[in-house]
Amino acid sequence: GGDCATGVAFTRDPAIGVKRFYGEYLIDAQGEDVVAGIRTPKPLSELKKEMPKAYRELERVFPILENHYRDMQDMEFTIQKGKLWMLQTRVGKRTGFAAVRIAVEMAEEGLISEEEAILRVEPNGLNQILRPIFDHGEKGKATVLAKGLNAGPGAASGRIVFDAEDAADWAKKGEKVLLVRMETTPEDIKGMFASEGILTARGGMTSHAALVARQMGKTCIVGCGALEIDQEKGELTVDGRTLREGDPLSIDGSTGEVLLGEIKTIPSEVLQILVEKTMNPEESEIYALYTKLLSWADRVRRLGVRANADQPDQCRVALAFGAEGVGLCRTEHMFFGGDRIDAVRKMILAEDEAGRRKALTKLLPMQRQDFIGIFEAMDGLPVTIRTLDPPLHEFLPHEEQEIENLAKEMGVEFEQLKGKVESLKEVNPMLGFRGCRLGILYPEITEMQAQAIFEAAADCIQRGIKVLPEVMIPLVGFKGELKQQEEIVRGIAEKVIREKGVAIKYTVGTMIEIPRAALTADEIASVAEFFSFGTNDLTQTTMGLSRDDAGKFLGSYLDQGILKNDPFQTVDREGVGQLMRMAVEKGRSARKNLKVGICGEHGGDPDSVEFFHEIGLDYVSCSPYRLPIARLAAARAVLKEKH
Amino acid sequence: GGDCATGVAFTRDPAIGVKRFYGEYLIDAQGEDVVAGIRTPKPLSELKKEMPKAYRELERVFPILENHYRDMQDMEFTIQKGKLWMLQTRVGKRTGFAAVRIAVEMAEEGLISEEEAILRVEPNGLNQILRPIFDHGEKGKATVLAKGLNAGPGAASGRIVFDAEDAADWAKKGEKVLLVRMETTPEDIKGMFASEGILTARGGMTSHAALVARQMGKTCIVGCGALEIDQEKGELTVDGRTLREGDPLSIDGSTGEVLLGEIKTIPSEVLQILVEKTMNPEESEIYALYTKLLSWADRVRRLGVRANADQPDQCRVALAFGAEGVGLCRTEHMFFGGDRIDAVRKMILAEDEAGRRKALTKLLPMQRQDFIGIFEAMDGLPVTIRTLDPPLHEFLPHEEQEIENLAKEMGVEFEQLKGKVESLKEVNPMLGFRGCRLGILYPEITEMQAQAIFEAAADCIQRGIKVLPEVMIPLVGFKGELKQQEEIVRGIAEKVIREKGVAIKYTVGTMIEIPRAALTADEIASVAEFFSFGTNDLTQTTMGLSRDDAGKFLGSYLDQGILKNDPFQTVDREGVGQLMRMAVEKGRSARKNLKVGICGEHGGDPDSVEFFHEIGLDYVSCSPYRLPIARLAAARAVLKEKH
């Protein structure tokens, strides 16, 4: 009846984490009516007016429960003829955004410890803080059509789609879509996942849409009652305007605003401060929370964090995100820029060593300059430089017409160039003529690269810049391979040191990316001063699974439960992980102070990072933007071990 | 002076093993003159006339030395003014041919034990006994040009080449060549290796040519003084005829005859008896020796031997060579024969499961008939049948024109067929959509194959033929893969058993051919009743080395000593072998009576067979013609362990 109500409440805002009671209720209803999303419930603030006594009672109960459970509570209550009954309380689900704020603030309130705060934030949740936001100026100029509940923070623009299946289809074709529905149901999951954001006309913060968006980390607005959706016609009417399927729309999940058209996004506040340097740290609350949490994490973690970075600008981003070094600098990316590719191609087409050396001479000063830039940026932090890795055919065109053009450009015969392209074709390039195999057959390539590295180092040192190069040989499977390459590198290093008269501290190590290297890690560690796991290739070889071709069946494997995770995303502990553990043990048995890291993409995956901590790696290296996640995951690994 | 001589002698013939003193000497010469091949020495029989006293002395010394050392001796002696001085004695090198005869005869003489006899024969030496010989009738019609010393038994025909480098070049182009030289020197090695046979004008049984031919197992005649070689002109004059470079010539290394033209060869006596059944066992001395040695080996060895055989006729050859079962029956080879390929292609092109099932229905009776033939041939011995393994694109044409022809033939659109061919293309087919991955996505293929196997089994059993099928799932990396396929196979098996009302004993197991399978062998063995190592693929994945592409650098790796052996020939004990050992241990820890075999090409490599014995495999499976070698190697492994 009218003196009865039922509702759901949170002790803090589950979408953005602000410390305020937050809830919804319906008069004369059952509990499921609130979460079903059919009727949009009223915000708790109105209960204060409608049933002041019950409201005061709630206000008294909320902190008791939160303090008792020491976490944000998600509660159900009912009011029977004015009397409050608490039906249920549990730890509330929250967005990544809210998780950070709640964790940091609770620690500062003294409710939980800093360590607990670290454990309260799922590392991938940090992505929400780093995601683009709407450009303030552009947004100011945009028309606000309506306002709903800010269920999932973030900025999302896309073309309106009214059906979840269509959303998935459109997304497959590369369209950015915004899913607009009266409410969502479990069968919409796939479409929700495929959308940039979700907007519903009905439902509250505890509706299906809000719940799922929180879990997926999707931008989401719910309960936007101003929307009139005619799904049959494929029309949305709001604020006197009619929009159709395919029209652009934007939603600000942090404020609940629905905006006309597509709005330009800019980097998140954290990025504006750290990378773009267009914002002052003190202007951003988010940044303060982020910094605090990560500073606690940095104090706890034992794993080092490095970045995969090939250029000085990437190095600067990496440093902004806390990189303690470069774990993987791919020299081949430098082979493509500007007119370098010409020299590279001449080298490949050369008939003999003399021809290759001539072309390499042209590359030397460019590579040297690249390394100078990177050393300057990293300013004394270690930089792991990998010698040439990809198969040579990657540097040549493959289409008839392109070959013809290039032949003209280079002044060589079409047939000669085409013959070379053909001769470099491989049945299984992944398992072919690449990695150290190139440097072993063409030692002059390794020589040039070593010379560029050490001359760059000498140049920096002479200018007072500290340098710590670590030369890394890829795709080693046999000790003899590494030995041959190591001798070349050391030979050049000693020569440069002698000629330039400067002392250069450096190490030579190897990637562990094929099973045989892991199996014979003790032998290999007798030469290598460090290991860096290339978990991408190690996964491919250990599983006999080409990343480029697995698409045909990997989905079905995941559906059938044959695989629990995509092994290219989260490291396969039982198989690949077993080899890694073996390599660490064998490697350190042969060389006690062997430094061991990982530079595959798994370095930025929280679950994998925990495993890497567990097997005693020294550091993980990942893309600069994954560094905050890696730092947090590394700290959590320490704490989970304790608990 | 004239009453002085120097010579070399063997206690038995090092080329064919016959028990007779064998030697060469020169009057008035130094020891090195005999082996240098410049002067052709005289046979020992003449010494009997020239220096009867010294000869008698030699006759007395030979058996003393052989009995003392219990092996054929290679001795150097000198005669100074009529007095004999023995300068050196050592165990003599011998051809594979001679090794077998000497070992068997010494054992029969009681000089050595049967076990020692087994250890005296390098298994690869058996190849010489199995090699083709000249057709007796054809040879009778041929012109004998000259006779030399039979230094390397066997029959060889080829085009005359006078230069070792040319021999290597011609051979590379696919020419069969016969290297004809005055004498050979160490720099001729490559050319000797590339030739079918070697013929020299000078030198004796201890000359460079004879020595190397013995070690290489090459057909060889030396000291054929009737040849007049003009290397400048590229001419060979003999018996009044002049032959030029490129002309065909034949040599019988067992008799020392040089014959005009190319002479047809026929299978060796052992093959004539065992496989062709065109000769009676009692007619062949060689066969008697072969049988005796292998019967001794069979008594000693613990490793079982099976053959890789896909068809009934191959099964029969395998049985003749002592196969105790089929270790690998590749079902895909059956997919190519006759008009089956049409059904296979229709299956691949089918748009859905119904279409695939329709095409598979056509294949079922053919596959069933294949298996009936194999079961009949093997008559109760175990037959390991592997389900479909190769990537589907192997069944489709790739050239535009072929695709067009096939499209017309099949009555489908060119674009549709081409589209399918394109969609099946893979970046790394070795690591792609193949093996059990096919059967997991298209369970109906596995179903059809299982049905063919069990219906064939039921048919044979009903006719009183014993059958022991072992169904083998390829390319398993995860327990879940095997489980899914195993359930399909068992489901069909039980259905056929029920329907036909016959009991069929069968097992389901898997190949271990990717590292992850070896690493998680305990999990996999909880489902698999047997393992069979696919060492070809296991080598490729463990080393990250594509067999098809490694040619570019493998040679250089061997030259530089980075690799000791071709890993596709002799198993890499440290890497691949370590995984195998691990898989055996883990597998048996989970299933005590797990049967473990190997069906890669390493199954016929003696060194690898020894390793497989060492790590406790139950059997090796290799090509039928390698079976004698595997049997001998398996026995030697037992004996080496003892000693």
Side-chain angles (χ1 to χ4, degrees):
Chain A
D3 56 353
C4 296
T6 185
V8 175
F10 298 88
T11 56
R12 306 198 183 206
D13 186 322
I16 56 168
V18 173
K19 187 178 183 180
R20 62 174 173 228
F21 304 141
Y22 188 93
E24 302 163 337
Y25 72 101
L26 283 170
I27 300 278
D28 190 15
Q30 293 295 319
E32 60 201 58
D33 297 338
V34 180
V35 296
I38 315 264
R39 279 167 69 185
T40 295
K42 301 184 199 174
L44 220 51
S45 50
E46 290 186 28
L47 190 70
K48 196 171 181 175
K49 290 172 244 162
E50 291 196 317
M51 297 182 177
K53 191 168 150 263
Y55 182 79
R56 275 197 305 278
E57 192 67 2
L58 269 176
E59 270 191 326
R60 195 183 61 80
V61 169
F62 287 163
I64 294 174
L65 289 173
E66 186 175 278
N67 289 334
H68 179 78
Y69 289 107
R70 303 173 61 251
D71 203 348
M72 184 263 270
Q73 295 298 298
D74 167 357
M75 302 151 297
E76 287 176 25
F77 62 88
T78 198
I79 298 165
Q80 198 179 19
K81 296 181 191 287
K83 185 170 167 61
L84 174 72
W85 298 87
M86 298 303 294
L87 301 180
Q88 178 184 285
T89 187
R90 55 181 173 181
V91 170
K93 293 248 188 295
R94 64 206 74 180
T95 64
F97 221 87
V100 173
R101 181 183 288 271
I102 292 172
V104 172
E105 289 184 350
M106 281 190 173
E108 290 187 324
E109 291 159 21
L111 190 60
I112 59 174
S113 68
E114 288 174 6
E115 293 193 348
E116 280 172 301
I118 290 168
L119 286 169
R120 292 276 172 91
V121 182
E122 284 296 333
N124 277 330
L126 287 178
N127 272 334
Q128 281 185 36
I129 288 185
L130 303 173
R131 256 195 326 225
I133 55 176
F134 286 130
D135 179 293
H136 197 70
E138 295 287 319
K139 193 182 150 189
K141 284 185 260 166
T143 310
V144 178
L145 295 174
K147 225 180 148 184
L149 299 170
N150 53 345
S157 292
R159 299 174 66 185
I160 297 171
V161 174
F162 295 104
D163 180 80
E165 256 180 72
D166 292 347
D169 287 348
W170 288 39
K172 234 183 208 164
K173 288 180 206 140
E175 293 284 354
K176 288 170 71 176
V177 299
L178 212 61
L179 182 63
V180 180
R181 311 240 336 125
M182 283 305 289
E183 67 256 26
T184 63
T185 63
E187 60 220 32
D188 294 337
I189 293 277
K190 231 172 159 172
M192 295 171 81
F193 191 74
S195 303
E196 299 297 309
I198 300 141
L199 170 62
T200 70
R202 290 199 196 136
M205 291 297 269
T206 49
S207 65
H208 178 263
L211 224 96
V212 171
R214 270 206 288 284
Q215 282 177 13
M216 285 185 183
K218 286 277 170 195
T219 298
C220 176
I221 294 175
V222 296
C224 187
L227 309 180
E228 281 170 44
I229 299 171
D230 186 333
Q231 186 159 353
E232 292 279 295
K233 280 199 194 160
E235 280 182 3
L236 162 69
T237 309
V238 56
D239 199 22
R241 288 168 203 260
T242 298
L243 303 171
R244 276 165 227 290
E245 187 182 64
D247 286 347
L249 192 69
S250 296
I251 57 173
D252 187 332
S254 309
T255 60
E257 291 159 301
V258 180
L259 302 129
L260 192 63
E262 194 179 330
I263 299 168
K264 216 185 110 193
T265 57
I266 54 168
S268 69
E269 292 185 4
V270 173
L271 267 80
Q272 285 181 54
I273 293 163
L274 290 178
V275 182
E276 315 273 310
K277 320 269 187 202
T278 51
M279 195 176 190
N280 289 323
E282 53 274 15
E283 288 172 48
S284 168
E285 237 185 322
I286 300 295
Y287 177 73
L289 294 164
Y290 160 90
T291 312
K292 201 154 284 170
L293 183 69
L294 285 185
S295 72
W296 297 343
D298 286 344
R299 230 181 287 150
V300 170
R301 70 181 160 89
R302 284 202 308 269
L303 266 178
V305 289
R306 296 195 187 184
N308 300 348
D310 309 334
Q311 288 157 10
D313 57 336
Q314 293 171 0
C315 290
R316 283 185 282 272
V317 175
L319 288 169
F321 281 120
E324 296 157 356
V326 167
L328 176 62
C329 172
R330 282 165 287 230
T331 49
E332 59 266 20
H333 287 190
M334 307 173 185
F335 276 27
F336 282 103
D339 50 357
R340 300 163 176 217
I341 188 71
D342 295 346
V344 173
R345 285 168 172 171
K346 277 197 183 120
M347 175 194 80
I348 295 172
L349 292 177
E351 295 295 331
D352 53 18
E353 190 187 322
R356 278 192 297 276
R357 284 197 183 275
K358 203 177 143 196
L360 286 164
T361 306
K362 286 204 185 121
L363 280 171
L364 174 63
M366 306 190 219
Q367 281 247 299
R368 185 170 50 219
Q369 207 48 49
D370 295 328
F371 294 132
I372 288 175
I374 288 168
F375 290 149
E376 284 174 349
M378 295 310 292
D379 196 20
L381 292 174
V383 178
T384 309
I385 299 167
R386 180 174 72 184
T387 53
L388 191 64
D389 183 57
L392 297 179
H393 61 74
E394 287 193 10
F395 299 103
L396 295 178
H398 292 91
E399 298 294 328
E400 201 92 339
Q401 189 57 51
E402 290 174 297
I403 295 174
E404 211 174 307
N405 293 346
L406 179 63
K408 267 186 212 148
E409 252 178 69
M410 294 186 66
V412 297
E413 289 294 313
F414 167 75
E415 285 305 327
Q416 189 206 344
L417 186 56
K418 188 161 155 69
K420 193 74 192 183
V421 171
E422 287 296 322
S423 80
L424 287 175
K425 266 193 191 156
E426 295 186 299
V427 181
N428 296 293
M430 161 73 209
L431 310 174
F433 187 43
R434 53 173 285 244
C436 68
R437 297 159 190 175
L438 299 169
I440 286 170
L441 259 72
Y442 305 138
E444 52 276 12
I445 299 179
T446 308
E447 280 176 28
M448 181 282 284
Q449 294 201 296
Q451 194 165 347
I453 292 168
F454 291 106
E455 287 182 357
D459 176 276
C460 288
I461 291 169
Q462 281 166 339
R463 289 184 289 123
I465 300 162
K466 270 198 198 163
V467 181
L468 193 52
E470 305 175 327
V471 183
M472 179 159 75
I473 310 299
L475 212 75
V476 162
F478 299 88
K479 177 185 162 182
E481 292 177 312
L482 180 59
K483 189 76 200 147
Q484 196 250 36
Q485 291 287 288
E486 184 231 23
E487 279 168 10
I488 292 172
V489 172
R490 290 203 184 279
I492 297 285
E494 299 313 317
K495 190 168 147 274
V496 172
I497 288 170
R498 223 170 28 243
E499 283 174 6
K500 305 281 176 189
V502 291
I504 306 176
K505 230 184 110 182
Y506 71 96
T507 54
V508 184
T510 184
M511 294 201 62
I512 301 289
E513 53 187 336
I514 54 181
R516 198 182 189 284
L519 291 161
T520 59
D522 43 355
E523 283 182 34
I524 288 171
S526 72
V527 180
E529 291 174 281
F530 65 87
F531 284 173
S532 180
F533 286 103
T535 49
N536 299 347
D537 278 4
L538 191 60
T539 298
Q540 296 196 82
T541 45
T542 303
M543 298 193 172
L545 200 66
S546 161
R547 193 173 182 167
D548 296 316
D549 305 308
K552 274 209 191 72
F553 50 92
L554 219 50
S556 172
Y557 271 44
L558 290 164
D559 289 347
Q560 294 191 44
I562 292 172
L563 278 170
K564 300 255 176 311
N565 298 297
D566 178 343
F568 295 111
Q569 204 171 345
T570 299
V571 76
D572 158 44
R573 295 189 182 205
E574 291 72 33
V576 176
Q578 188 181 149
L579 276 179
M580 293 180 74
R581 196 186 287 271
M582 191 185 297
V584 172
E585 282 168 14
K586 288 193 172 195
R588 294 220 172 108
S589 77
R591 183 185 293 264
K592 218 180 146 191
N593 62 347
L594 182 79
K595 188 153 68 172
V596 187
I598 175 257
C599 61
E601 280 172 43
H602 299 94
D605 170 68
D607 186 64
S608 307
V609 170
E610 280 182 24
F611 179 71
F612 300 148
H613 169 85
E614 192 184 310
I615 61 171
L617 299 202
D618 294 301
Y619 70 86
V620 296
S621 186
C622 58
S623 101
Y625 291 89
R626 301 290 294 179
L627 279 167
I629 291 167
R631 286 157 69 190
L632 185 57
R636 287 162 58 89
V638 175
L639 300 175
K640 284 186 180 179
E641 209 173 42
K642 273 211 234 170
H643 292 287
Chain B
D3 55 354
C4 295
T6 186
V8 174
F10 298 87
T11 56
R12 306 195 183 207
D13 186 322
I16 55 167
V18 173
K19 187 178 182 183
R20 61 173 173 228
F21 305 142
Y22 188 92
E24 302 164 336
Y25 71 101
L26 284 169
I27 299 278
D28 189 15
Q30 292 296 319
E32 61 201 58
D33 298 337
V34 179
V35 296
I38 315 266
R39 281 168 66 189
T40 296
K42 300 185 201 172
L44 220 53
S45 51
E46 290 187 27
L47 188 69
K48 195 171 182 175
K49 290 172 245 164
E50 290 197 316
M51 298 182 176
K53 193 170 147 264
Y55 182 79
R56 275 197 307 278
E57 190 68 3
L58 269 177
E59 271 191 326
R60 195 184 60 81
V61 169
F62 287 165
I64 294 174
L65 289 173
E66 187 176 277
N67 289 333
H68 179 77
Y69 290 107
R70 304 172 60 251
D71 203 349
M72 184 264 271
Q73 296 298 299
D74 168 355
M75 301 151 296
E76 286 177 24
F77 61 87
T78 197
I79 298 165
Q80 199 180 19
K81 296 180 192 285
K83 186 173 166 61
L84 174 73
W85 299 88
M86 298 304 293
L87 301 180
Q88 178 183 284
T89 187
R90 55 180 173 182
V91 170
K93 293 248 188 295
R94 64 206 74 181
T95 64
F97 220 87
V100 173
R101 180 184 288 272
I102 292 173
V104 172
E105 289 184 351
M106 280 190 173
E108 291 187 324
E109 291 160 20
L111 189 60
I112 59 173
S113 69
E114 288 173 6
E115 294 192 350
E116 280 172 300
I118 291 168
L119 287 168
R120 292 277 171 89
V121 182
E122 284 297 332
N124 277 331
L126 287 178
N127 272 334
Q128 281 184 36
I129 288 185
L130 303 174
R131 256 195 328 224
I133 54 175
F134 287 131
D135 179 292
H136 196 70
E138 295 286 319
K139 193 182 151 192
K141 286 184 260 166
T143 311
V144 177
L145 295 174
K147 225 179 148 185
L149 299 170
N150 54 346
S157 293
R159 298 173 66 185
I160 297 171
V161 173
F162 295 103
D163 180 82
E165 257 179 71
D166 293 346
D169 288 348
W170 287 40
K172 234 184 207 163
K173 288 179 207 140
E175 293 284 354
K176 289 170 71 177
V177 299
L178 213 61
L179 182 64
V180 180
R181 310 240 337 126
M182 283 305 290
E183 67 255 27
T184 63
T185 63
E187 59 220 32
D188 294 336
I189 293 279
K190 231 173 160 172
M192 294 171 82
F193 191 75
S195 303
E196 299 296 309
I198 299 141
L199 170 62
T200 70
R202 290 200 197 136
M205 291 297 269
T206 49
S207 65
H208 179 262
L211 223 97
V212 171
R214 269 205 289 283
Q215 282 175 13
M216 285 186 182
K218 287 275 169 195
T219 298
C220 176
I221 295 175
V222 296
C224 186
L227 308 180
E228 282 170 42
I229 299 171
D230 186 334
Q231 188 161 350
E232 292 279 295
K233 280 200 195 158
E235 281 182 4
L236 162 69
T237 308
V238 55
D239 198 24
R241 288 168 203 260
T242 298
L243 302 172
R244 277 165 226 288
E245 187 182 65
D247 286 348
L249 191 70
S250 297
I251 57 173
D252 187 332
S254 310
T255 61
E257 290 159 300
V258 179
L259 303 128
L260 191 63
E262 194 179 330
I263 299 168
K264 216 186 109 193
T265 57
I266 53 168
S268 68
E269 293 186 3
V270 173
L271 266 80
Q272 285 181 54
I273 293 163
L274 290 178
V275 182
E276 314 272 310
K277 321 268 187 202
T278 50
M279 195 177 191
N280 290 322
E282 52 275 15
E283 289 172 49
S284 169
E285 237 185 322
I286 301 294
Y287 176 73
L289 294 164
Y290 160 89
T291 311
K292 200 154 282 169
L293 183 69
L294 284 184
S295 72
W296 296 344
D298 287 344
R299 229 181 288 150
V300 169
R301 70 181 160 88
R302 283 202 308 270
L303 265 178
V305 289
R306 295 195 186 186
N308 300 347
D310 309 333
Q311 289 156 9
D313 57 336
Q314 292 171 1
C315 290
R316 283 185 282 273
V317 174
L319 288 169
F321 282 121
E324 296 157 355
V326 168
L328 175 63
C329 172
R330 284 164 286 229
T331 49
E332 60 268 19
H333 286 190
M334 307 174 184
F335 276 29
F336 282 101
D339 49 357
R340 299 163 176 215
I341 187 72
D342 295 345
V344 173
R345 285 168 172 171
K346 277 195 184 123
M347 175 194 79
I348 295 172
L349 291 177
E351 295 295 331
D352 53 18
E353 190 187 321
R356 277 192 298 276
R357 283 196 184 275
K358 202 177 143 197
L360 286 165
T361 306
K362 286 204 185 121
L363 280 171
L364 174 64
M366 307 189 218
Q367 281 247 300
R368 185 170 51 219
Q369 207 49 47
D370 294 328
F371 295 132
I372 289 175
I374 289 168
F375 290 150
E376 283 173 351
M378 295 310 291
D379 195 20
L381 292 174
V383 177
T384 308
I385 299 167
R386 181 174 72 184
T387 54
L388 191 64
D389 184 56
L392 297 179
H393 61 74
E394 287 194 8
F395 298 103
L396 295 177
H398 292 91
E399 299 293 328
E400 200 93 339
Q401 189 57 51
E402 289 174 296
I403 295 174
E404 212 174 307
N405 293 346
L406 180 63
K408 266 186 213 147
E409 251 178 71
M410 295 186 66
V412 298
E413 291 293 313
F414 167 75
E415 286 305 327
Q416 189 207 345
L417 186 56
K418 189 162 152 72
K420 192 74 192 183
V421 170
E422 287 295 322
S423 80
L424 287 175
K425 265 193 192 157
E426 295 186 298
V427 182
N428 296 293
M430 162 72 209
L431 310 175
F433 187 43
R434 54 174 286 244
C436 67
R437 296 160 190 175
L438 300 169
I440 285 170
L441 258 72
Y442 305 138
E444 53 275 12
I445 299 178
T446 309
E447 281 176 28
M448 181 281 283
Q449 295 201 297
Q451 196 165 345
I453 292 167
F454 292 106
E455 287 182 357
D459 177 274
C460 288
I461 292 169
Q462 281 166 339
R463 289 184 290 123
I465 299 161
K466 269 197 198 163
V467 182
L468 193 52
E470 305 175 327
V471 183
M472 179 159 74
I473 311 298
L475 212 74
V476 162
F478 300 88
K479 177 185 163 181
E481 292 177 312
L482 179 60
K483 188 76 200 147
Q484 196 249 35
Q485 291 288 287
E486 184 231 24
E487 278 168 10
I488 292 172
V489 172
R490 290 204 184 278
I492 298 284
E494 299 313 316
K495 190 168 148 274
V496 172
I497 288 171
R498 223 171 26 244
E499 283 174 6
K500 306 280 175 189
V502 290
I504 307 175
K505 230 183 112 182
Y506 71 97
T507 55
V508 184
T510 184
M511 294 202 61
I512 301 287
E513 52 187 336
I514 54 181
R516 197 182 190 283
L519 291 162
T520 60
D522 42 355
E523 283 182 35
I524 289 171
S526 72
V527 181
E529 290 175 281
F530 65 86
F531 285 173
S532 180
F533 287 103
T535 48
N536 299 346
D537 278 5
L538 191 59
T539 298
Q540 295 195 81
T541 46
T542 303
M543 298 193 171
L545 200 66
S546 162
R547 193 173 183 168
D548 296 316
D549 304 308
K552 275 208 190 72
F553 51 91
L554 218 50
S556 173
Y557 271 43
L558 290 165
D559 289 346
Q560 293 191 45
I562 292 172
L563 278 170
K564 299 256 174 312
N565 298 297
D566 178 343
F568 295 110
Q569 204 171 344
T570 299
V571 75
D572 158 45
R573 295 189 181 204
E574 291 73 32
V576 176
Q578 189 182 148
L579 276 179
M580 293 179 74
R581 196 186 287 270
M582 190 185 297
V584 173
E585 282 167 15
K586 288 193 172 195
R588 295 221 173 108
S589 77
R591 185 186 291 266
K592 218 180 147 191
N593 62 346
L594 182 80
K595 188 153 66 172
V596 187
I598 174 257
C599 61
E601 280 172 43
H602 298 94
D605 171 67
D607 186 64
S608 307
V609 170
E610 281 182 23
F611 179 71
F612 300 148
H613 169 85
E614 193 184 310
I615 61 171
L617 298 201
D618 294 300
Y619 68 86
V620 297
S621 186
C622 58
S623 100
Y625 291 89
R626 301 292 292 178
L627 278 167
I629 291 167
R631 286 157 70 190
L632 185 57
R636 288 162 57 90
V638 175
L639 300 175
K640 284 188 180 178
E641 208 172 42
K642 274 211 232 171
H643 292 286

